[in-house]
Amino acid sequence: MTDFGFSPGPGVVRFERLLPGPIERVWAYLTESDKRARWFAGGELELRPGGHAEINFRHAQLSDVADPAPEKYAEMNATGFQSTGTIREVDPPRRLSFDWHETHGPATLVTFELSQEGDKVRLVLIHSDLPSRELMVDVSGGWHSHLAQLEDELAGRPRGPFWARHQELEGVYESRL
């Protein structure tokens, strides 16, 4: 496995990916509910500062292969998971930032930055304001797995096993962070 995220400072994880372009296509996969649901979570985004963000996970729909959920995620996999956010910054098609309101803690900040590089698009994902190492490990495995689904989707490949990737990455990030 490659393209590991890292922590540039306390409470922060950062990922970079070079994806098939053009930039407008990648932007659509960040902002359009139906496309975002194929790799991360659906839900409507009000693309303006202060706008509402719905984050509706349906993990069982993220893979094109058989991919049973680990026991600790079985209920979430079966019923889905919903949370909300507040848009902080929108600069189409280059930057999207939102506060993610979790039910079990303070809001965290997610920022996507896109830049065109030839026929590819560099995606930088920064998740900050993470209040604990445990949450940093958890979101690192999650983002790494979700970004793998996005890479598969944009490359036109069948989306690989989300949960199998996530389970493997939990241990990897536990030792890396």
Side-chain angles (χ1 to χ4, degrees):
M1 241 178 251
T2 60
D3 298 324
F4 288 102
F6 67 97
S7 177
V12 180
V13 293
R14 178 188 169 101
F15 292 86
E16 285 194 40
R17 296 291 186 274
L18 200 56
L19 303 169
I23 195 170
E24 293 81 9
R25 179 175 179 234
V26 178
W27 179 256
Y29 273 88
L30 297 180
T31 60
E32 295 176 18
S33 179
D34 60 330
K35 290 180 173 72
R36 197 175 61 257
R38 294 202 40 86
W39 69 275
F40 175 53
E44 294 304 313
L45 302 179
E46 294 176 345
L47 293 176
R48 60 175 177 73
H52 184 71
E54 288 291 326
I55 305 167
N56 301 322
F57 289 96
R58 300 289 181 263
H59 291 91
Q61 299 172 2
L62 292 178
S63 179
D64 292 320
V65 299
D67 187 34
E71 183 61 35
K72 72 179 185 177
Y73 296 113
E75 183 177 336
M76 180 176 31
N77 193 62
T79 62
F81 174 75
Q82 296 183 344
S83 60
T84 62
T86 304
I87 304 295
R88 271 208 197 175
E89 191 177 348
V90 180
D91 180 15
R94 291 172 191 81
R95 186 175 173 89
L96 173 64
S97 183
F98 61 91
D99 289 317
W100 187 344
H101 309 289
E102 291 284 347
T103 56
H104 57 274
T108 59
L109 178 63
V110 176
T111 301
F112 296 97
E113 297 173 347
L114 302 177
S115 57
Q116 191 77 46
E117 295 186 14
D119 63 346
K120 303 284 186 186
V121 176
R122 181 166 306 279
L123 177 142
V124 175
L125 165 63
I126 301 167
H127 196 150
S128 57
D129 300 333
L130 296 162
S132 69
R133 182 181 177 283
E134 178 184 16
L135 190 54
M136 289 174 65
V137 168
D138 183 50
V139 302
S140 293
W143 280 123
H144 194 133
S145 302
H146 284 292
L147 290 172
Q149 302 311 93
L150 177 60
E151 288 177 280
D152 287 347
E153 180 75 12
L154 291 172
R157 298 185 299 257
R159 292 168 302 156
F162 175 82
W163 286 119
R165 284 175 174 158
H166 189 274
Q167 200 165 12
E168 180 182 350
L169 288 163
E170 279 183 326
V172 171
Y173 280 104
E174 180 64 43
S175 65
R176 290 182 72 90
L177 292 178

